Amino acid sequence: MSQRGYNEMWADAQLALSRLLTEELPAEPPHPEKDRVVFFQRLAMLYVRYIQILRQLEEVYDQVVHPQKRRVVRAILDGVIGRVLELKNEMVEKEFSEYHYMDDVLHDLKLTPEDLEIPIPRYFLRERNKELQERKKMLTEILKLVGVTESPEPLMAKDMSQEKAIKIIQVAERARQGRLRAKLNEESRNMNRMYRTKEPGKDAIESATVCIQKVWRGYMQRKRTKIVREEEMIFLGMAMDPKYKVPCPTEIAAQSSEASRKIKQEEHNEDYQKSLVSVTNQLRDVEGYDISKTMKEQIRQWFIECRDTTGSFPDFPEEEDGGSALIFAEKNPQQLMEEIAAKEDDESDNKPKGKEEKKEKGKKEKGKDDEEEEEAGLKMMPSAFLSDLEMENKIFEDFWKNRNETRNFSQRHEVELIKEERRKMIEEEIRVKVDEQMRQELAEWKLAVDKDKGGKTKANAKKKKGSKSGKKKKKEKDLTADRTLESLCQELVEQGLLKQANNVRLDDYMGDYSYLGTTLRQNDIEPMPSLSDVRQVLSLYAVLPLGSQYVHEKAPLIKAILLAGPAGVGKYPGKSGLAMMLHMVFKVARLMQPSVIWIEDAEKMFYKKVPKEEKELDPKRLKKDLPKSLKLIKGEDRVLIVGTSTDPLSADIKSLCKMYSKIILIPRPDYGSRCILWNRLIRKQGGDVTRALDLGSLAKISDGYTPGHMVQVIQSIVTKRRTLQQANRPLTAAEFVAPLAKIDPVFQEEEEALKNWYAKTPLGKKRIKAATGKEEEDAPVKGKDAKKKGKKISLTCF
């Protein structure tokens, strides 16, 4: 696609976005919706439409080469990502479920399940490529220095009983003898054939000829029948033509043009950065003096007008309030003085004045509660991104929508736009310097003209400054202030707490869409999520927020995620050592953000009862300190804690849910996901999926097995030797049955136990109450439910 095509795609995305903004920001606020189903349908419709805009903008940002356009698209793209996360958070709170099924919305919008996939912006990695390479190099050097190999499971000698060792030796020896015996038998048969060779008779030659003809004709007919059947399947559209399996010249040309666009993006961006510096210096040299002079004259004129109007010189606005920017607003001196006085009155009103004021506030709050009760219903929560999206959309409408670019065929930057942007920045820089000079000049004027008021104003200014200081917040104590990042990383690597992330894409987590989710919910059956649903939730909760600083600061903050599902330390003893370990882990995570702190076997920290074999390890020692460290993570810290648990039932659910705000249940793969997994995993291992391999039957008999089990079976069957034999002996489903039968599957009872456990989490309880008609009440739990009421931490850097 050409640059013109991507410009049109951007225009289409902006048109769709402007329509959404019109719906979400009406002139009059909409009335509260009492029907929860109708309200959720509106949320789902907005969510799906924003995802379509996100997909378009991501494609545009990845391929457009104009540097100034890319900056506008990037701002809008981040805003749309943030709005998608807000809508997802609101859907979870209204439907009380992490997973949603929107078949009716997809049908209304004429979309497919693939259109619901969350696209991961490619700039997350591309724009941090140098940083990631440097980080990987640093960690590799540390690993070499420490002597730790990158393989997570080093080869170690396993303990073996005497009986097992004897059995292995016997098997090997019997196999050797069998091979030797077979070789001797083959040699003896060859010798016998040599001595028994006689001249064949006429009848024998004729029967041999007939036999050869029969075999050959059968072979040729089967081959023709196979070709005819394949042609028929291609004609019916049930199979792909082999010529389309190989990349066509058009696809190759498109891939090469995409690669050339990446090079152009870098070249144009370098030119743009150089132009920014040169234009800024030019404006500062040419226009800086005139801007400064004009500002001073305007401020002096304001001093004189204020004195003529009020009889005294004004107080110069503080820098925190905007400084002289308030003066340059279109207001007369009287209005400006009233505004400054009103701010001072507001500051004094914020101070507590006694019991009467508290009573009045209490009455007002009660009045507000009564109003809320009168207007009962569901409303959209306030958004942190809509105002920014509206502003960026206005920039597109004003500057880019109808811009004539016939003379900018190469799509390089435009100098006039740079001048407009940089002129504002230079004015702000000069304003700060002018403010300092004019404050001093105003003080001199007051001393010269208002000698009696001069001392008072200074005293008042000192009092104001003293009153603004207020209480200082306690800063987090840095226990390793004198240490470098490299030394901290080295110590964490030595203790096995810091690991280099494997190069794994989210697409590698394969799974199909849950096609029965809506049907099951309509029949009051809570479905298990599919692997596709899990992939989508992880994209929204982990990948998108960590990838963008702007999105992470303004989107709903998620600090910790627990992944619960079936199964497929030493140097820091005592409280002080534990505090040091946590401090180092979180400090390195902040310095190398975005980072993931992974906690394996997260349930052990919150054991109801510690097993005897684990009492010496004291797995509950992090129970109090880790939540405290979690509270220190702010919106600007792109750090996420991910816990994994194969036995969450053994943990105290109340403490576990306090630690992890999001709990994601990982299911067994359903039939559709198993078909996809078998197909792609076999191909990935080097196997060919032919008609001889019945994937449908294989997916059916592998019900209950996890993707890890499938990988294990495929690696044992599709070996290098077996791949060489595929031309003569294609893979069949029967080959995978025997090794699959040796593995214990995840039984239905285990999955039901996990579903029952999840129903006791806060979100699960809300879901049950909503289903039974008690969605707004928070009734106390009675009966049995009321009574029921060596840690490994590693830091993974992206």
Side-chain angles (χ1 to χ4, degrees):
M1 190 184 292
S2 64
Q3 291 297 301
R4 183 178 178 181
Y6 287 113
N7 288 337
E8 291 174 357
M9 184 186 288
W10 184 22
D12 293 341
Q14 289 295 147
L15 180 62
L17 180 61
S18 61
R19 289 172 180 167
L20 279 176
L21 291 174
T22 305
E23 292 180 24
E24 290 213 76
L25 299 170
E28 296 181 2
H31 296 289
E33 180 60 57
K34 294 183 179 180
D35 191 339
R36 186 176 290 275
V37 176
V38 174
F39 186 77
F40 180 79
Q41 284 296 108
R42 186 190 171 206
L43 284 176
M45 184 69 74
L46 289 172
Y47 173 77
V48 174
R49 289 167 69 186
Y50 268 111
I51 287 178
Q52 304 317 305
I53 296 172
L54 171 59
R55 298 174 78 89
Q56 288 179 301
L57 290 174
E58 198 279 326
E59 183 69 22
V60 170
Y61 182 72
D62 187 64
Q63 294 299 317
V64 166
V65 299
H66 195 297
Q68 288 157 310
K69 285 182 183 177
R70 295 188 80 243
R71 276 152 182 77
V72 178
V73 175
R74 168 70 180 273
I76 300 170
L77 176 60
D78 285 349
V80 170
I81 290 173
R83 187 59 186 144
V84 167
L85 296 180
E86 285 181 335
L87 289 170
K88 172 64 179 179
N89 182 60
E90 196 155 355
M91 286 195 295
V92 170
E93 293 190 359
K94 296 302 183 289
E95 203 184 27
F96 310 121
S97 174
E98 301 288 357
Y99 305 101
H100 316 290
Y101 305 100
M102 297 172 278
D103 302 348
D104 47 353
V105 177
L106 291 176
H107 183 267
D108 293 342
L109 296 176
K110 302 295 187 291
L111 299 173
T112 62
E114 286 76 17
D115 295 321
L116 271 183
E117 286 291 330
I118 305 296
I120 307 300
R122 283 162 276 191
Y123 79 83
F124 281 4
L125 290 177
R126 186 176 297 118
E127 295 185 0
R128 299 180 61 247
N129 190 39
K130 291 182 181 178
E131 180 187 346
L132 292 173
Q133 293 297 330
E134 291 173 1
R135 181 180 299 179
K136 187 175 181 180
K137 184 180 178 182
M138 182 189 74
L139 289 177
T140 305
E141 289 175 356
I142 292 173
L143 288 168
K144 288 180 180 177
L145 184 65
V146 176
V148 179
T149 58
E150 291 191 8
S151 64
E153 297 179 1
L155 295 172
M156 295 177 65
K158 296 182 179 179
D159 295 334
M160 186 184 296
S161 63
Q162 187 177 359
E163 293 178 359
K164 193 172 182 180
I166 293 170
K167 189 175 181 181
I168 291 172
I169 294 170
Q170 286 177 341
V171 169
E173 179 60 23
R174 287 168 183 166
R176 188 190 69 81
Q177 292 179 5
R179 288 192 295 271
L180 185 61
R181 195 179 299 112
K183 186 178 179 181
L184 293 171
N185 289 337
E186 183 67 22
E187 289 177 356
S188 64
R189 281 196 296 271
N190 291 337
M191 292 294 292
N192 291 335
R193 285 172 188 163
M194 288 173 62
Y195 291 116
R196 290 178 187 173
T197 303
K198 295 181 181 179
E199 292 184 3
K202 193 174 181 181
D203 295 337
I205 293 173
E206 192 173 330
S207 62
T209 306
V210 171
C211 183
I212 292 170
Q213 287 177 345
K214 184 172 69 173
V215 171
W216 174 250
R217 287 171 181 171
Y219 168 75
M220 290 302 296
Q221 188 58 43
R222 285 192 297 272
K223 193 173 181 180
R224 291 192 202 100
T225 306
K226 184 181 178 182
I227 292 170
V228 170
R229 187 182 291 115
E230 287 176 355
E231 289 176 352
E232 184 182 6
M233 296 300 286
I234 292 169
F235 176 75
L236 294 173
M238 302 295 290
M240 185 181 288
D241 196 327
K243 67 181 181 182
Y244 296 125
K245 294 180 181 179
V246 181
C248 63
T250 309
E251 290 178 344
I252 296 169
Q255 291 172 0
S256 63
S257 64
E258 286 184 7
S260 65
R261 284 194 200 105
K262 299 293 185 297
I263 298 169
K264 279 187 181 180
Q265 283 178 359
E266 293 178 2
E267 291 175 355
H268 290 192
N269 188 55
E270 287 177 7
D271 293 343
Y272 174 70
Q273 296 298 335
K274 291 176 183 177
S275 184
L276 280 178
V277 176
S278 61
V279 170
T280 304
N281 293 334
Q282 183 185 1
L283 287 174
R284 193 178 284 117
D285 295 338
V286 175
E287 301 181 11
Y289 176 77
D290 293 335
I291 293 171
S292 176
K293 185 179 177 181
T294 305
M295 283 184 180
K296 288 178 181 179
E297 289 175 357
Q298 289 177 346
I299 293 171
R300 289 191 188 105
Q301 183 65 28
W302 179 70
F303 291 164
I304 295 167
E305 289 177 2
C306 284
R307 179 169 174 79
D308 293 342
T309 306
T310 62
S312 61
F313 285 117
D315 292 332
F316 201 91
E318 295 292 335
E319 191 63 36
E320 297 172 358
D321 299 329
S324 60
L326 289 174
I327 302 169
F328 300 139
E330 294 180 358
K331 296 177 182 177
N332 58 41
Q334 186 66 33
Q335 290 175 332
L336 192 59
M337 292 295 291
E338 288 175 1
E339 186 178 331
I340 294 170
K343 284 185 179 179
E344 291 177 357
D345 292 339
D346 291 339
E347 289 176 3
S348 60
D349 289 342
N350 289 334
K351 296 177 183 177
K353 293 182 179 179
K355 295 182 180 178
E356 295 180 0
E357 200 169 275
K358 290 181 181 178
K359 288 181 181 178
E360 289 178 4
K361 285 183 180 178
K363 289 178 182 177
K364 287 180 182 177
E365 288 175 1
K366 286 182 180 178
K368 286 180 183 177
D369 293 339
D370 294 337
E371 288 177 6
E372 288 177 1
E373 287 177 5
E374 289 175 6
E375 296 184 4
L378 298 169
K379 292 182 180 179
M380 296 280 284
M381 292 189 291
S383 171
F385 294 94
L386 284 178
S387 58
D388 293 346
L389 281 173
E390 191 176 26
M391 183 180 68
E392 296 296 336
N393 188 58
K394 190 174 184 303
I395 291 172
F396 170 78
E397 296 281 344
D398 295 342
F399 288 97
W400 298 107
K401 185 176 181 181
N402 299 315
R403 196 171 189 84
N404 186 4
E405 294 186 281
T406 53
R407 296 184 179 181
N408 190 12
F409 181 76
S410 61
Q411 292 290 291
R412 292 190 176 271
H413 64 272
E414 300 184 29
V415 177
E416 290 303 318
L417 288 177
I418 295 177
K419 286 182 178 179
E420 290 178 14
E421 294 172 3
R422 290 288 151 170
R423 190 174 282 114
K424 295 176 183 177
M425 187 194 76
I426 290 169
E427 286 178 358
E428 185 65 23
E429 289 177 1
I430 294 172
R431 185 190 65 77
V432 174
K433 295 177 182 178
V434 169
D435 284 0
E436 293 177 2
Q437 297 173 6
M438 298 311 294
R439 280 195 188 93
Q440 185 64 30
E441 189 172 325
L442 178 61
E444 292 173 0
W445 283 21
K446 286 183 178 181
L447 287 172
V449 181
D450 302 330
K451 291 182 180 179
D452 296 335
K453 297 179 182 179
K456 292 180 182 178
T457 55
K458 282 186 180 179
N460 290 336
K462 286 180 182 177
K463 285 180 183 177
K464 284 180 184 177
K465 286 180 182 177
S467 63
K468 281 188 179 180
S469 62
K471 292 182 180 178
K472 292 183 179 179
K473 293 183 179 179
K474 289 184 178 179
K475 292 184 178 179
E476 183 187 356
K477 190 177 180 181
D478 192 349
L479 302 176
T480 55
D482 57 338
R483 296 184 61 179
T484 62
L485 175 63
E486 288 76 10
S487 67
L488 292 172
C489 290
Q490 184 173 341
E491 183 171 338
L492 292 175
V493 168
E494 288 172 353
Q495 299 304 313
L497 299 176
L498 181 62
K499 295 184 178 182
Q500 177 68 47
N502 295 326
N503 188 17
V504 179
R505 298 176 60 86
L506 201 63
D507 297 339
D508 295 337
Y509 190 77
M510 294 168 282
D512 201 6
Y513 182 76
S514 181
Y515 296 98
L516 293 175
T518 303
T519 306
L520 291 172
R521 278 194 173 172
Q522 288 173 351
N523 291 282
D524 297 328
I525 300 171
E526 187 61 27
M528 282 295 286
S530 68
L531 299 184
S532 174
D533 297 328
V534 175
R535 183 175 64 242
Q536 190 173 18
V537 167
L538 288 175
S539 301
L540 292 166
Y541 288 165
V543 182
L544 292 184
L546 289 178
S548 171
Q549 184 70 36
Y550 168 78
V551 173
H552 194 271
E553 288 179 1
K554 302 187 79 172
L557 183 60
I558 296 173
K559 298 181 181 180
I561 297 175
L562 178 67
L563 305 178
V569 267
K571 187 180 172 180
Y572 305 99
K575 284 191 175 182
S576 59
L578 199 62
M580 175 62 77
M581 181 192 74
L582 289 173
H583 168 77
M584 288 175 63
V585 168
F586 278 86
K587 181 177 180 179
V588 172
R590 287 191 184 95
L591 292 173
M592 302 181 73
Q593 59 180 290
S595 303
V596 170
I597 300 174
W598 170 49
I599 302 178
E600 189 180 21
D601 298 329
E603 76 280 355
K604 293 185 178 181
M605 194 189 308
F606 306 100
Y607 266 147
K608 294 176 185 175
K609 186 179 179 182
V610 181
K612 290 181 180 179
E613 60 272 15
E614 296 184 23
K615 280 187 177 179
E616 292 183 4
L617 300 173
D618 192 14
K620 296 175 72 174
R621 63 194 179 120
L622 287 172
K623 184 177 180 180
K624 293 182 179 179
D625 293 324
L626 189 58
K628 290 178 183 177
S629 300
L630 185 65
K631 289 179 182 178
L632 299 175
I633 298 177
K634 306 299 179 185
E636 59 270 15
D637 300 324
R638 285 187 289 166
V639 177
L640 180 69
I641 295 178
V642 176
T644 54
S645 174
T646 57
D647 185 23
L649 287 78
S650 62
D652 177 33
I653 193 167
K654 189 176 179 182
S655 303
L656 193 68
C657 292
K658 278 185 180 179
M659 172 72 189
Y660 297 98
S661 58
K662 295 292 181 182
I663 297 177
I664 299 172
L665 204 60
I666 308 295
R668 303 180 302 171
D670 54 10
Y671 176 80
S673 297
R674 291 195 299 273
C675 283
I676 293 174
L677 283 165
W678 281 115
N679 190 353
R680 295 188 183 175
L681 290 174
I682 289 172
R683 292 180 188 275
K684 189 176 180 180
Q685 190 68 16
D688 294 332
V689 178
T690 61
R691 290 184 172 278
L693 181 57
D694 189 355
L695 287 178
S697 300
L698 193 58
K700 186 69 177 176
I701 63 173
S702 59
D703 185 15
Y705 290 93
T706 65
H709 294 154
M710 296 179 189
V711 172
Q712 184 180 342
V713 170
I714 290 168
Q715 287 177 348
S716 65
I717 296 297
V718 188
T719 59
K720 289 183 179 180
R721 182 181 178 185
R722 185 65 184 86
T723 53
L724 296 173
Q725 299 172 351
Q726 288 182 108
N728 300 322
R729 189 164 63 91
L731 289 169
T732 60
E735 296 179 65
F736 297 91
V737 174
L740 201 63
K742 296 177 182 177
I743 302 172
D744 291 330
V746 178
F747 296 102
Q748 187 70 28
E749 293 78 10
E750 187 176 347
E751 192 173 76
E752 287 298 324
L754 282 171
K755 284 178 69 176
N756 295 333
W757 170 84
Y758 186 77
K760 296 176 184 178
T761 62
L763 196 64
K765 288 180 180 179
K766 288 179 182 178
R767 177 77 188 165
I768 293 171
K769 287 176 185 177
T772 55
K774 298 179 180 179
E775 45 208 0
E776 299 298 332
E777 298 178 7
D778 199 6
V781 183
K782 296 181 181 179
K784 295 180 180 179
D785 291 338
K787 295 180 181 178
K788 288 183 181 179
K789 297 211 162 176
K791 188 57 46 238
K792 182 178 179 181
I793 301 180
S794 64
L795 172 67
T796 306
C797 303
F798 291 104

